[in-house]
Amino acid sequence: MSDETKVTQEYGGSQIQVLEGLEAVRKRPGMYIGSTSSSGLHHLVYEIVDNSIDEALAGYCKHITVTINPGNTITVTDDGRGIPVDIQPQTGKPALEVVFTVLHAGGKFGGGGYKVSGGLHGVGASVVNALSEWLQVRVHKNGLIHEMKFSRGNITQEMTIVGKTEKNGTEVTFKPDPEMFDTLVYDYEILHERMREEAFLNAGLSITITDDRDDEKQVSETMCYEGGIREFAVWCNKNKTPIHQDVIYMSGMKGDASAEIAIQYNDGYQEFMLSFANDVRTPEGGMHETGFKTALTRVLNAYGTKNGIIKGDDKVSGEDCREGITAIISVKLTDAQFEGQTKAKLGNAYIRTLVDGIVSEQLATYFEEHPQTAKTILEKAMMANRAREAARKARESVRRKTGLESGQMPDKLQDCNERDPSLCEIYIVEGDSAAGSAIQGRDSRFQAILAMWGKMLNVEKARADKIYGNDKLYPLIVALGAGIGEEFDIEKLRYHKVIIMSDADVDGAHIRTLLLTFFFRYMRPMIENGYVYSAVPPLYKIKRGKTERVAYSDEQRDQISAEMRGESNAKVEINRFKGLGEMNPHELWETTMDPETRTLRRITLEDARRADAIFTVLMGEQVEPRKEWIEKNAKYAVNIDI
């Protein structure tokens, strides 16, 4: 990061501007961090790291560290300028205190602190403080170490000089408040993935993440990518087969706004696009994605027509052009307009024009200079176009054969009586035996059962025309009633709880992963709306005389068996369920299907992404990644003989 990127030589209290105060955070935390579940817990870390990233964007920070400490506290350090410690003019208080105690206070509202920033709302530090049981911040600045301490947003130690220093930077350590969160346990891999993204997006920035919770098994990795998003695209395709070796890289700027795009196609059929604004992922896209998609389609069609590859009106659609693409889009701008604090979508219209212009000019030039790559990509798009037409014909053919238009349901579906989708749920059950128990044990008023059998189609290696004609998947598509792919209509979904119920073994996990991948690829809005669940069947039946109880984990098994043995150390019989079909109807109802007593796991988009990534490794054509995954995870395999 060169000195030319630095936006100001001074960063003092006058750059901190106050907009308003802090109570609402603890009352409505979801408004600020999305939820109080695991995702919200991890979001606290992102908010603090984003402040350090802003220092990197301004050209002052070279290294960031994130450490999960024993007890699931978090420490984030950087070597930036350090949060200002002088007096903030509007409040008469130290700027450090203002940043951590006043909502909407920061150097990002035009005070000259930052040109580009991810944390535009200025709520990050104060929100983390409000939702922490305790928080400590140390600022190394002007040769001194300044320290403040807080508890649930309240000051417990005023800003105090605690030592001298030769370095600059900020160190924040906090413990999430158990009163606020459903879980307090951090997932190293989730944080690792996010920090890796940040390292890719900021070429040359070094980020170290460490898990210090286990003294004997400390895990740590330092990530620094001089190639930036070029390396990001290669990393995303590491388990796939690229159809051209070079990553196509484009970049440009206008005024204070800049954009860079990296693309590489693989031989798969899925589109994989990650977009960012000021290093913040925008999962719902926005103007930068729109500009990219429009220009990509236009350039490919123009090149194909000019070189006689596309004849007449036989043009390729945007969806055709993006089949098998891996694309990273990163834009940086001064006045980013996000939808909400969680920043899911970018709304600045001029960014669409900027990205469109960059791609239109630079991709066209690249194709002229690399005609073989251009031809390979265009031929893939044209093949996708032909397959899409084949899918349309297959869809119409199947509709005629099965009577889909008239609403005829598949034979394997035992439907429920209720017709309001918000009150209906469907259990997808593997095997006739388990389905039989589920049908007899269910509440037929609102619970439908769909039996599936055998291994499903590998959707990783199949286009939509193959899916429509597949005897395993088509009954599921018909039963859900909302279509697939680009024609999927969430309003037509017949059940608002779609529950995967599979055995608690390797085969069951395989089936669950296949279904999740299918939903992720072709029915994603169903996951985004929170309609997909996984049932949690018990693993063990524990008997003492006529008394029976079930356990859902090894730990629960040990606890229950100890309770049932009692002081007399009576004999207890422990049996592991080998499958759902082994349970009689009333057992299945009581343990897995009764809304009053069952446990359901809601599948989030992040769960589906992980399942999709694992599926690519395990079911794709690349042998080496599969071998590495098996060697790494073999130690976790248990009960493989069941």
Side-chain angles (χ1 to χ4, degrees), residues 374-422:
K375 183 181 179 184
T376 301
I377 293 172
L378 191 54
E379 285 177 347
K380 182 172 179 61
M382 294 177 71
M383 194 177 299
N385 181 276
R386 290 190 289 271
R388 190 160 51 85
E389 179 62 21
R392 184 186 65 78
K393 292 178 179 177
R395 189 162 59 238
E396 291 175 355
S397 172
V398 172
R399 277 180 173 150
R400 286 194 300 271
K401 291 176 183 175
T402 62
L404 176 60
E405 299 293 352
S406 63
Q408 180 179 330
M409 289 294 109
D411 295 337
K412 291 285 185 179
L413 174 69
Q414 291 291 319
D415 213 348
C416 56
N417 299 324
E418 177 62 58
R419 287 295 171 261
D420 181 351
S422 66

Side-chain angles (χ1 to χ4, degrees), residues 614 617-618 624-634:
I614 292 171
V617 171
L618 297 182
E624 198 57 37
R626 180 157 55 249
K627 181 181 176 184
E628 288 176 10
W629 189 92
I630 292 171
E631 289 174 348
K632 180 181 177 183
N633 292 278

Side-chain angles (χ1 to χ4, degrees), residues 552-625:
Y552 293 86
S553 66
D554 291 354
E555 293 77 15
Q556 194 177 28
R557 172 201 62 193
D558 296 341
Q559 178 188 342
I560 292 173
S561 60
E563 291 173 3
M564 293 178 75
R565 284 192 184 97
E567 294 181 5
S568 62
N569 202 27
K571 183 179 179 181
V572 171
E573 183 182 341
I574 301 174
N575 293 304
R576 175 161 176 133
F577 288 109
K578 291 182 179 173
L580 296 168
E582 195 179 87
M583 295 187 203
N584 59 44
H586 82 85
E587 280 181 324
L588 195 56
W589 164 255
E590 291 170 0
T591 63
T592 316
M593 299 180 71
D594 182 356
E596 297 296 320
T597 58
R598 72 187 177 189
T599 298
L600 293 180
R601 291 195 183 114
R602 175 176 276 165
I603 304 301
T604 66
L605 198 58
E606 198 57 42
D607 293 327
R609 278 199 185 97
R610 288 182 168 193
D612 170 64
I614 292 171
F615 190 74
T616 300
V617 171
L618 297 182
M619 301 299 286
E621 293 179 352
Q622 298 287 318
V623 175
E624 198 57 37

